[in-house]
Amino acid sequence: MNSLEGDISKRQEKYELMTATPVPRLIVRFAVPTIISMMVTALYNMADAYFVGNISTQAVAGVGVAFAFQALIQAVGFFFGSGAGTYISRALGSKDSDGAERMASTGFFTPLILGTFIAAIGLVFLPGLARVLGATSDIVPSACDYLRWLLVAMPFMVSQMSLNNQLRMQGGAWFAMIGITSGCILNVILDPVFIFTFGLGVSGASLATLVCQVFSWCILLWGTTRKGNVHIRFRNFTPTWNMMKEITYGGLPSLMRQALGSLSTICVNWAAAKYAAPGAEASAIAAFAVVSRVMICAMSLILGLGQGFQPVVGFNWGARKYDRVRKAYLFTMKTTFLLILAMSVLGYLFAPQIVAFFRSEDPELIEMGARILRWQCLAFVFVSVTTPTNMLLQNIRRTVPATILAMSRQGIFFYPAILIVPRIWGMEGLMATLAVADTCTFMLALPFCIAILKELRERQESVTKAQPST
């Protein structure tokens, strides 16, 4: 059997797996590696905060400020990765291998080029970038130290995220997990070496990130050459209007969700400096930064489950098996609800201990961080409806409702809340802002949830009627 025949055979096997395996078992099969990779990535982010926390409160705040830009980098990567990945899964579901290969190459080379351009601009205007992100004068040096190597890593980060999503959406979740987790584990090892042994401080944490992102990038790129996977070839790089349009349709919700998350972090940094008691600005910014890392760790479990659900949706939607899409959606919401409920209860009960893990020497940071975490735990359960609904709409190319829902939690509802609630309730209001946004987003998502369940049932009935009787 030659290479081409081998690819065709492997893809046919994958098609049968995706369209015939019982839905709960299939989601769990894909969710386990994505949950592991998401959790390891979140733990790597928490490791940065933990090791930097041994330097100073200003260092923690500086990394927290830089994290807003890191979220913007992720927004670009997820835009191309989700846009290309959702197209690839639907193309493979309808057996369009040529279209899948063109999209894979375009979705890889475009962010690589764009990331290089943005990184060059950022390095030129580094101190100004730190101030725009919300750094006060005592935090700017630490923020710049972290941002410098992060910018150098940017081309690898955005194209690596695209590769990860592409592999995952075509059913290669285990290899995507290996690529991501190997780099994250290496990062956790290198962090203390670069920060303390080599005496590089905050720059050491950022330099470790650069090394590990390049390492993951190489593994994931190699993974695309494996038999049965969609290959990356420069001759298939076709950044045409139609290709960019398809990437936008599938990637815009992810871009909005991630970019608005970054902008909301910047707003929180500015607001924390404004509403904090005099002299406590760094502690307030650091407290929000620590809670942000904790919630990202919790959210990574939910996103990992959702990312196991997405390829099942894409393949089966392309194959017109709408009953399987509906089963996958309901299973994901139920499972997500149970996971979030357990995490919220634990987070609320042990909030001071969780925050103290990162910076036990600052009682003011611990007290503020515990209050912030408890507020966020109160409304976190609503994510069990909003996130699976958003992912489903994104995967079936419902760009407008998916984008509106993606913009809601940390955009449409968050920005009015952060402008209004703290003015009424001060710092406590700022701590409650995301809980208010979560509640409003749930109320918006509920009609979408009901409508898509009805549509899936009607589509399946239509397909069943169209099938010839035997």
Side-chain angles (χ1 to χ4, degrees), residues 30-291:
F30 289 120
V32 169
T34 55
I35 287 172
I36 292 171
S37 60
M38 291 292 290
M39 289 296 291
V40 170
T41 301
L43 290 172
Y44 134 68
N45 285 325
M46 293 174 71
D48 267 6
Y50 172 77
F51 290 119
V52 170
N54 288 282
I55 302 174
S56 67
T57 297
Q58 285 73 19
V60 176
V63 172
V65 165
F67 183 68
F69 186 74
Q70 193 167 353
L72 279 175
I73 295 175
Q74 291 173 340
V76 176
F78 278 118
F79 170 71
F80 287 100
S82 297
T86 54
Y87 180 92
I88 289 167
S89 68
R90 292 196 308 271
L92 293 175
S94 57
K95 302 188 177 182
D96 177 17
S97 296
D98 290 339
E101 291 202 353
R102 287 196 304 274
M103 179 57 78
S105 298
T106 305
F108 169 73
F109 288 108
T110 307
L112 183 65
I113 295 166
L114 181 62
T116 302
F117 177 72
I118 296 173
I121 295 174
L123 287 168
V124 172
F125 300 103
L126 190 56
L129 175 61
R131 290 191 176 277
V132 168
L133 294 172
T136 55
S137 56
D138 58 333
I139 297 173
V140 166
S142 294
C144 286
D145 285 345
Y146 196 84
L147 282 168
R148 187 172 292 107
W149 291 112
L150 193 65
L151 283 162
V152 175
M154 184 174 179
F156 299 99
M157 290 178 72
V158 291
S159 53
Q160 176 241 93
M161 288 172 195
S162 183
L163 284 174
N164 176 53
N165 275 276
Q166 288 186 35
L167 285 168
R168 180 176 56 80
M169 293 297 286
Q170 60 188 275
W174 281 102
F175 197 89
M177 179 204 74
I178 293 169
I180 294 296
T181 56
S182 58
C184 292
I185 292 169
L186 181 61
N187 189 286
V188 173
I189 295 170
L190 292 181
D191 260 347
V193 175
F194 286 178
I195 294 171
F196 304 115
T197 306
F198 294 165
L200 297 176
V202 175
S203 291
S206 185
L207 182 58
T209 297
L210 167 62
V211 172
C212 298
Q213 289 293 329
V214 174
F215 182 73
S216 289
W217 183 85
C218 292
I219 291 177
L220 290 170
L221 187 58
W222 174 68
T224 64
T225 66
R226 291 167 57 86
K227 189 176 294 184
N229 289 337
V230 179
H231 305 316
I232 303 290
R233 297 185 177 95
F234 190 74
R235 69 171 182 266
N236 287 327
F237 176 43
T238 50
T240 61
W241 167 248
N242 283 335
M243 281 291 180
M244 292 298 110
K245 185 171 66 173
E246 289 295 336
I247 288 174
T248 301
Y249 281 139
L252 188 61
S254 291
L255 177 65
M256 291 295 100
R257 183 168 51 246
Q258 292 292 129
L260 289 174
S262 173
L263 293 175
S264 69
T265 301
I266 296 169
C267 290
V268 166
N269 290 337
W270 283 96
K274 177 181 178 181
Y275 290 102
E281 294 87 353
S283 292
I285 293 174
F288 276 102
V290 166
V291 173

